[in-house]
Amino acid sequence: FPQDKDTRYKTPAEVKARKQAEKLQKTSHWEKDGVGYLKINSFDKEELVSEEVEPVLREFKKKGVRKLVLDLRDNLGGMLLPTFGLLDLFSRQKGLFLVEMRTKYVSLFEWTQKKGPYWDFKIAVLVNQESASASEIGAGILQLWGHTIIGTGTYAKGSVQAPIKLS
């Protein structure tokens, strides 16, 4: 991938500065030879799917792309709603997602009402040891749906937190 081959950044300080600049962007993408590449840096913005992901996928589909590399490397997670929104785009059928909390409570989220507009995409999900939380949950569900996971073991958090108001 282009960012992996970039040799302009030679010192550790330059590499660190580049990574920090990339994290400010929520997504990046490109397309070549019928394969789309989409990097999602974080799921920390509710409008992520509607503002940044779906327009890219719509453009990919117009160009005939049906194979996608979804890069979740170094994605430390974020909120579940944008993660579910992403999954909604690739869903093959209506379904339910069950999240079991570590307490006695169980929450049930219904996220899919119909086939997603990109249900026929073949997806390879890239993960690494810095993929955590919401990105792990998204990658895991895509794997359950038959897509391929490529990379090292993830952070292994795979959990969800809820804010608690302190008085």
Side-chain angles (χ1 to χ4, degrees):
F1 300 103
Q3 73 272 17
D4 293 334
K5 296 177 183 173
D6 197 342
T7 58
R8 293 177 294 162
Y9 306 97
K10 302 201 186 302
T11 69
E14 288 173 317
V15 171
K16 183 177 180 182
R18 179 174 159 240
K19 285 189 175 195
Q20 288 174 339
E22 286 175 353
K23 286 187 179 187
L24 293 176
Q25 289 181 289
K26 300 298 179 214
T27 64
S28 58
H29 65 279
W30 52 262
E31 176 269 326
K32 185 175 181 182
D33 299 329
V35 177
Y37 170 87
L38 175 61
K39 166 83 172 146
I40 299 178
N41 293 312
S42 174
F43 287 104
D44 65 355
K45 178 179 165 188
E46 282 191 35
E47 302 81 16
L48 173 76
V49 173
S50 63
E51 291 180 1
E52 298 187 43
V53 173
E54 196 158 16
V56 169
L57 294 175
R58 200 172 16 256
E59 188 61 32
F60 283 168
K61 195 166 188 172
K62 270 191 217 174
K63 292 180 176 181
V65 169
R66 293 298 184 275
K67 295 177 184 174
L68 177 68
V69 176
L70 178 61
D71 191 346
L72 299 180
R73 293 176 297 177
D74 300 315
N75 181 324
L76 297 176
M79 299 182 291
L80 279 179
L81 285 179
T83 306
F84 291 163
L86 177 72
L87 293 170
D88 215 15
L89 297 174
F90 302 114
S91 176
R92 294 184 174 133
Q93 63 185 9
K94 181 177 177 177
L96 297 175
F97 182 72
L98 179 68
V99 177
E100 183 177 346
M101 304 300 185
R102 291 185 185 190
T103 66
K104 63 182 176 178
Y105 302 106
V106 174
S107 297
L108 186 65
F109 299 94
E110 184 170 343
W111 87 85
T112 302
Q113 298 299 320
K114 59 185 182 214
K115 279 186 180 179
Y118 312 100
W119 67 271
D120 57 341
F121 277 38
K122 304 289 185 225
I123 305 170
V125 184
L126 304 181
V127 296
N128 67 4
Q129 67 278 0
E130 297 297 321
S131 304
S133 192
S135 66
E136 287 176 301
I137 290 168
I141 291 172
L142 288 169
Q143 184 178 33
L144 285 173
W145 289 348
H147 299 290
T148 303
I149 305 294
I150 301 170
T152 61
T154 62
Y155 189 79
K157 182 178 176 191
S159 64
V160 179
Q161 299 87 35
I164 299 172
K165 185 175 180 177
L166 302 174
S167 44

